[in-house]
Amino acid sequence: MIPVAHPPEISAGQGAVAVQASPTFMKSQGPLTIAVSLTFAAASLFAAEAPKKKPAGAPATTKPAAKPEAKPEAKPAAPPDLAPTPEVAAKGSSLPDPVAVVEGEPIKKAELEAAFANVLLAQRVPIESVPEEQRAMGYRMILDDMIIDKLLVKRSAETKVSEEEVTAKFEGIKAKFGSDEELNKQLEAAGQTIDKVKQGMRERLRQERWIDEQIKGKAEVTEADAKDFYDKNPEQFKTPAQVRASHILVKVPEDAKPEVDAEKKKAAEAIAARVKKGEAFDKLAKELSEDPSAKQNSGDLDFFAADQMVPEFSKAAFSMKKDEISDPVRSSFGYHVIKVTDRKDAETVTLEKAKPQLLAFLQQKKKQTEIEKVVKDVRDKAEVKVNLPDAPAPARAPAPAPAPAPAP
């Protein structure tokens, strides 16, 4: 994938507003359980994502997903509900025991160390590589989330959840593994059982329902709210000019010698000549393109803005007319034969067009605020003794709630 600039909080795209999700909102929106909390803590503290692979093929566009949950994901070794407990937790720590007492219930040192080790395991970060000051910060952040989780489990204990709901949620998780055999293998590796997993799901559903009751009627928004936001944020409802193009890629290795580069260019020129003589572009893309996605999309890259592609590719595509075929265009990936198939002028999305999603976005944002108030109120009123020393927490950048993607 070609790196693209992060979109604004709301960006006009495909004829309507598209809104980004964020770990902060996902945590607040959901059941606020430790599985989600730990994932957020890891991302905030260590930013230790696996290195992104250098693109092996074509420039690619970034489009809003049909739904936030429909975004493609790699199959997890174990999803959050099956978070593994490492055999060896953080060693040699000088944490007090217990690390906290929440309304008379202790949180043991071993629980916090295991949770911290889980975070590092999920992020593939060796514990020995984490500096002491970051380790202290991480312990404190995770403990804060564990305290909230314990309090919410207590507050929601009497909330009714049916076994049918738990079973449906479990089946959804189970489907991610493809087979009962794979599920059981992962459960065994994680030291978990089906009963434990279902109990965790039951608690999460209770928390979600309990929080929904606390904020009932407090997250409503009006058309006047939508208009006010629209009027105050005009830049967020503008779409840049876009081009739709297809390409055929002849890859050139980074360290290619001049004679190899010349050979690859010659191959691309031969492809361009065949297309210009009338051969079907999509057919040749499937047969000859070295972009891995060409077998599925016949080289079609859909609509993209200029900043979504490597400069050489964008410069060529945006200078071409509809149905025009380019001579080979050199980029860091190799030589591209480009065909422009459509164009869109820059435009501003009208309030009427944006309103359905804008209302949904504002409602989710308001819901997030109300959830945070409930959680803060629960924490402030609870009897909690924390035995860890204070550690400065990193700033958590605010982010908007996700709204439904544009209708097709």
Side-chain angles (χ1 to χ4, degrees):
M1 299 284 289
I2 299 301
V4 296
H6 293 294
E9 289 189 357
I10 297 183
S11 60
Q14 304 300 309
V17 288
V19 187
Q20 273 195 308
S22 74
T24 306
F25 174 73
M26 290 168 65
K27 178 185 167 188
S28 299
Q29 178 195 42
L32 295 165
T33 55
I34 195 63
V36 177
S37 301
L38 296 185
T39 300
F40 172 71
S44 299
L45 179 59
F46 305 113
E49 296 181 0
K52 291 182 174 59
K53 293 182 179 178
K54 190 163 186 180
T61 60
T62 298
K63 297 173 60 181
K67 297 180 183 177
E69 63 268 28
K71 293 169 79 173
E73 298 177 0
K75 181 179 177 182
D81 286 304
L82 306 178
T85 301
E87 294 180 3
V88 181
K91 292 183 178 180
S93 69
S94 57
L95 300 177
D97 197 14
V99 288
V101 180
V102 181
E103 295 183 337
E105 289 188 21
I107 296 178
K108 299 288 189 181
K109 167 184 173 179
E111 294 178 68
L112 179 57
E113 288 177 332
F116 184 71
N118 273 333
V119 170
L120 300 182
L121 180 66
Q123 299 294 314
R124 293 177 171 82
V125 177
I127 191 167
E128 59 272 14
S129 71
V130 182
E132 279 296 331
E133 63 274 12
Q134 285 194 351
R135 201 175 301 184
M137 191 184 299
Y139 280 133
R140 186 55 192 258
M141 287 175 66
I142 293 169
L143 179 60
D144 288 346
D145 285 334
M146 293 176 78
I147 290 168
I148 292 297
D149 185 70
K150 191 172 284 289
L151 290 170
L152 290 180
V153 166
K154 282 190 168 189
R155 301 298 183 271
S156 63
E158 300 303 317
T159 302
K160 302 298 182 185
V161 171
S162 71
E163 286 308 304
E164 289 78 10
E165 291 174 283
V166 176
T167 299
K169 186 171 179 63
F170 179 77
E171 290 299 320
I173 293 294
K174 181 178 173 182
K176 295 182 180 181
F177 291 90
S179 68
D180 289 351
E181 182 182 358
E182 182 64 22
L183 171 65
N184 291 328
K185 179 181 174 182
Q186 293 294 340
L187 282 171
E188 185 177 351
Q192 294 282 347
T193 66
I194 288 177
D195 286 343
K196 286 181 181 179
V197 171
K198 285 188 174 181
Q199 180 57 28
M201 292 175 177
R202 191 174 292 109
E203 289 179 353
R204 282 185 273 284
L205 287 168
R206 284 174 180 158
Q207 290 178 46
E208 282 185 322
R209 191 154 297 166
W210 183 83
I211 288 177
D212 284 344
E213 282 299 314
Q214 310 312 304
I215 66 171
K216 193 173 182 179
K218 296 179 181 179
E220 300 304 317
V221 293
T222 66
E223 291 195 0
D225 295 325
K227 185 177 187 307
D228 182 63
F229 186 95
Y230 183 88
D231 290 342
K232 290 178 178 177
N233 299 274
E235 292 301 316
Q236 296 195 35
F237 297 90
K238 293 180 178 179
T239 59
Q242 294 179 306
V243 160
R244 183 167 192 164
S246 296
H247 84 140
I248 298 170
L249 174 67
V250 177
K251 289 167 64 175
V252 178
E254 286 184 21
D255 56 352
K257 294 180 179 179
E259 56 269 27
V260 173
D261 187 285
E263 182 182 331
K264 297 291 185 179
K265 183 179 181 181
K266 189 175 180 181
E269 288 172 339
I271 293 171
R274 291 175 64 180
V275 176
K276 291 177 181 180
K277 287 180 180 177
E279 291 193 54
F281 193 99
D282 55 350
K283 183 173 179 289
L284 288 177
K286 276 189 174 184
E287 291 176 2
L288 303 175
S289 181
E290 295 180 86
D291 171 1
S293 66
K295 299 295 183 188
Q296 287 74 44
N297 62 20
S298 302
D300 180 25
L301 301 174
D302 211 326
F303 283 99
F304 55 88
D307 62 356
Q308 290 179 284
M309 297 294 180
V310 290
E312 304 90 345
F313 192 97
S314 280
K315 183 178 179 181
F318 277 82
S319 68
M320 294 167 61
K321 298 176 182 178
K322 184 177 176 180
D323 295 325
E324 186 177 352
I325 308 297
S326 74
D327 291 328
V329 175
R330 183 70 160 92
S331 79
S332 55
F333 303 103
Y335 287 98
H336 308 264
V337 178
I338 303 170
K339 178 181 180 180
V340 169
T341 56
D342 207 350
R343 304 182 68 97
K344 285 183 181 178
D345 294 332
E347 67 169 337
T348 298
V349 179
T350 65
L351 174 59
E352 285 305 308
K353 202 171 185 179
K355 193 182 294 181
Q357 281 199 269
L358 184 51
L359 285 169
F361 161 74
L362 293 174
Q363 188 169 30
Q364 290 284 48
K365 191 175 182 182
K366 194 168 183 180
K367 181 178 180 180
Q368 176 184 351
T369 300
E370 293 301 323
I371 289 172
E372 289 169 354
K373 286 179 183 177
V374 170
V375 173
K376 184 178 185 301
D377 185 62
V378 168
R379 179 66 174 85
D380 289 348
K381 291 179 179 178
E383 183 182 342
V384 177
K385 182 182 179 184
V386 176
N387 297 325
L388 291 186
D390 289 335
R396 299 187 183 188

